[in-house]
Structures are given as structure tokens and as C-alpha cells.
Amino acid sequence: MVSTLGEEGLRAGPQGSQVPVLEVRGLTKTYSVGRFGKAKLVRALSNVDLSVMRGEVLGLVGESGSGKTTFARTVALLERPTSGEIRLLGRGVPNRLNQARLREHRGHVQMVFQDPYTSLDPLHTVRYSVARPLQTFKVAPKAAHAEAVDRLLTQVGLVPPQDFLRRYPYQLSGGQRQRVGVARALAARPALLLADEPTSMLDVSIRLSIMNLLLDLQKAESLSLVFVTHDLAGASYMSDRIAIMYAGHLVEVGPSERVMGEPRHPYTQLLRRAAPDPASHFGTGRRFEARGDPPDLANLPSGCPFAARCPHVRKECTEALPEWRQVGPGHQARCVLY
């Protein structure tokens, strides 16, 4: 079960540099899909153990359906975990929170969502969208909201801010909307920012500018950042460490340069082959060579979830989930090859 939050609350958590901002143990999320007696259980996350240190950028990488967005939404408590433990700022977070505690948690953990076209309320102006968290999380007195909104819009590159305050989302480009989403998340002054594929809905020409914006803000605000993406090359550019997810399981975790340069799990190797070639001016990727289809999350195999698609599969791969193996400094892979 998820552990209990102490009476002193999250803001009183230990401040030492060695205490992770986020720590999850055995995090599992199961959905019931279907109706009329034909419902089946779909396991989107399976016993995930992961931590994020203060000031660290962690890239969470996997294909669609791998569980990476479910991980982010569960950490933000937009979804309730089925089982496992979440620890934030050194304190356990209970599975069920009253309204005040839930607001406190979300003040520490903010999300930048994938789709800037739907994540902003079309009925509200930019001023309202950015000022609302200042009020909700009691970050600043009302008299200081105007100045704070101006500062936040300036931070995310919407200058001069007076040109954007009265605009509605339909009056902004996709990149501008995503910058408003970043400003709104920063308004709460979070310790942890979860960026859920924040560039995948944007034109290629502006993706890098949003990635650089997130990195600049992460450094300026001393944020911990989880960058969720299907793009291993993008994660390598952004991240200190990379964690690879497949079918709800973590399969490899390590320093960014090692996971990108020396991928160990066969799934990571295939992702690396599909990543853009740095030597190519146009970033042309090589063919992704996985065979077969991802497993049915309602009927996961007992062994390695990648076994049916793996070019190096062995008999033991199908018998039990492999243990974590140390494959380099700070680098682990869940694979019997090592």
C-alpha cells in the first residue's frame, strides 16, 4: 500500500541534496476495460522503481502504450496508483488525499501536457490561465499577481507580456500555447515538473526552442524535470539520465550518454537504431527492426515483455521476468544477456 504522509506535510521534507525529490517503489497501475461482464484488467504500469534527484533531468522513453504517460499522471495523482509507494521530498504520499493535501501535492508536482491545443481553457485569457495557480496554491498575494504573471510570461519568452495577457488560446500559435502551459506550471513553484511529450504536437521548427526553454528554466529554477518522450535522441539531448519503458515495465536505466551510446537492452538498441542519425543534416532515422507487435497489456507474458519481439530471445526469457543487471557505472538493464 502507499505509505502515509506525516502531519508535518510535504514542505517540511528533508532538504539534503541526497534526498530524491521523487521516489517510487513498486508503482503499479491497472485499469478495468470493458463492460457487461466482459471487463478485463489492463496493467499499464508493473512494479516500477524509479527516483529523480534534485536538479536532475530524467528522460522517460518508450513507444506509445509503454506506460510513460501513465507514470507521469500517476505521480501527479491525476490517476490513483493501484499499488506501490510514492515519496515526494522525502515524505510518503498516501493513495487517498483530502482536498487540501491533494492541492499541496499538486503544488509540488506540475505537468506540462502533450497537446497545447486542448490543455488550455479556450474560454479564458492568458492572464487568467497563468494567474490562477498563483491563487490556487497561494504563491503570491493578489496584489502581486499582475507582476508575477508578467515575470512568468517573460521567463517563457512571451514578450512583451502585455501583448499576450488578453489573448485567448485560439489567438496563439502552437508554440506560444505550449509556452503558456509552461508558465502556468511554473506559477505554482513546483519542485518537480513532468513534461509529457511537450514537443510532439509542435512543428519541427519550434521543437528545439521549447526543449531549450525547458532546460533554461530547469537550471534557473533548480527544478527536477521528467521529460517524457518516444524520441531517444531528444531524451539524450535533454537528460542527465534516461529510463526506458516497455509494456509498463522499466527495462533499462542509466546515464544519458551511456544509454544513447551503449544501449544494453535489445529494446533500447532498437530504439537507438530508430533514432535520428546525428551525422545526417536532415536527421534521417534508420529502420526500426523489431518484429511482431507489442504484447497485450491485459495478458502480459510471465517472462520478459519484449521476448516475443527480441532478436536475441532465449528460453529463460519466456520463463520469468529477468532480474536487473549492472552493465556499467550507474547503468542497469533488465536482461539475461548480461
Side-chain angles (χ1 to χ4, degrees), residues 125-134 148-149 152-153 180 183-184 187:
T125 63
V126 168
R127 184 204 301 271
Y128 180 91
S129 295
V130 178
R132 182 64 176 170
L134 299 173
V149 170
L152 287 161
L153 292 181
V180 173
R184 179 179 61 182

Side-chain angles (χ1 to χ4, degrees), residues 93-338:
V93 179
N95 197 358
R96 294 189 178 276
L97 296 169
N98 60 32
Q99 187 175 7
R101 289 289 179 83
L102 184 60
R103 185 185 300 114
E104 185 178 27
H105 178 85
R106 290 178 178 166
H108 289 286
V109 181
Q110 283 285 300
M111 284 191 70
V112 177
F113 296 94
Q114 178 180 6
D115 187 355
Y117 297 93
T118 60
S119 61
L120 297 176
D121 191 325
L123 301 179
H124 291 306
T125 63
V126 168
R127 184 204 301 271
Y128 180 91
S129 295
V130 178
R132 182 64 176 170
L134 299 173
Q135 176 183 351
T136 300
F137 302 110
K138 298 179 172 59
V139 173
K142 190 172 182 178
H145 284 188
E147 181 181 351
V149 170
D150 285 355
R151 177 181 58 81
L152 287 161
L153 292 181
T154 300
Q155 274 189 290
V156 301
L158 294 176
V159 292
Q162 292 75 21
D163 288 354
F164 296 92
L165 292 172
R166 294 180 177 83
R167 293 192 194 182
Y168 290 87
Y170 77 90
Q171 296 172 310
L172 303 172
S173 68
Q176 289 170 340
R177 293 182 195 186
Q178 197 61 292
R179 288 173 186 269
V180 173
V182 173
R184 179 179 61 182
L186 289 179
R189 294 184 184 172
L192 176 66
L193 187 64
L194 306 168
D196 182 17
E197 301 210 49
T199 63
S200 65
M201 300 290 289
L202 303 177
D203 292 340
V204 173
S205 60
I206 60 175
R207 288 179 185 175
L208 186 60
S209 66
I210 296 297
M211 293 166 69
N212 285 333
L213 170 67
L214 288 170
L215 286 176
D216 290 343
L217 293 172
Q218 180 266 331
K219 293 174 182 176
E221 301 293 328
S222 299
L223 286 170
S224 297
L225 172 64
V226 176
F227 184 74
V228 177
T229 181
H230 62 273
D231 176 16
L232 185 59
S236 177
Y237 178 80
M238 290 286 295
S239 309
D240 302 306
R241 280 191 307 142
I242 291 176
I244 305 293
M245 291 199 76
Y246 183 78
H249 293 77
L250 278 182
V251 297
E252 185 166 352
V253 181
S256 177
E257 66 274 9
R258 288 193 59 87
V259 174
M260 188 67 175
E262 300 180 62
R264 294 303 188 185
H265 195 279
Y267 176 61
T268 313
Q269 293 170 1
L270 291 171
L271 284 179
R272 178 64 186 90
R273 290 173 188 167
D277 185 349
S280 169
H281 176 72
F282 295 102
T284 304
R286 291 188 287 270
R287 184 180 178 183
F288 188 89
E289 300 174 1
R291 60 189 184 185
D293 298 314
D296 180 1
L297 296 180
N299 188 28
L300 284 171
S302 57
C304 175
F306 190 62
R309 305 176 72 192
C310 182
H312 309 294
V313 64
R314 300 176 179 180
K315 181 182 178 182
E316 57 263 42
C317 299
T318 63
E319 295 174 344
L321 187 66
E323 298 292 330
W324 284 102
R325 312 292 174 90
Q326 197 76 23
V327 294
H331 191 182
Q332 294 179 304
R334 200 162 204 165
C335 184
V336 301
L337 296 177
Y338 306 101

Side-chain angles (χ1 to χ4, degrees), residues 17-22 51-57 223-224 241:
S17 60
Q18 298 306 309
V19 176
V21 167
L22 173 69
S51 61
V52 183
M53 303 305 292
R54 292 181 183 274
E56 180 182 35
V57 181
L223 286 170
S224 297
R241 280 191 307 142

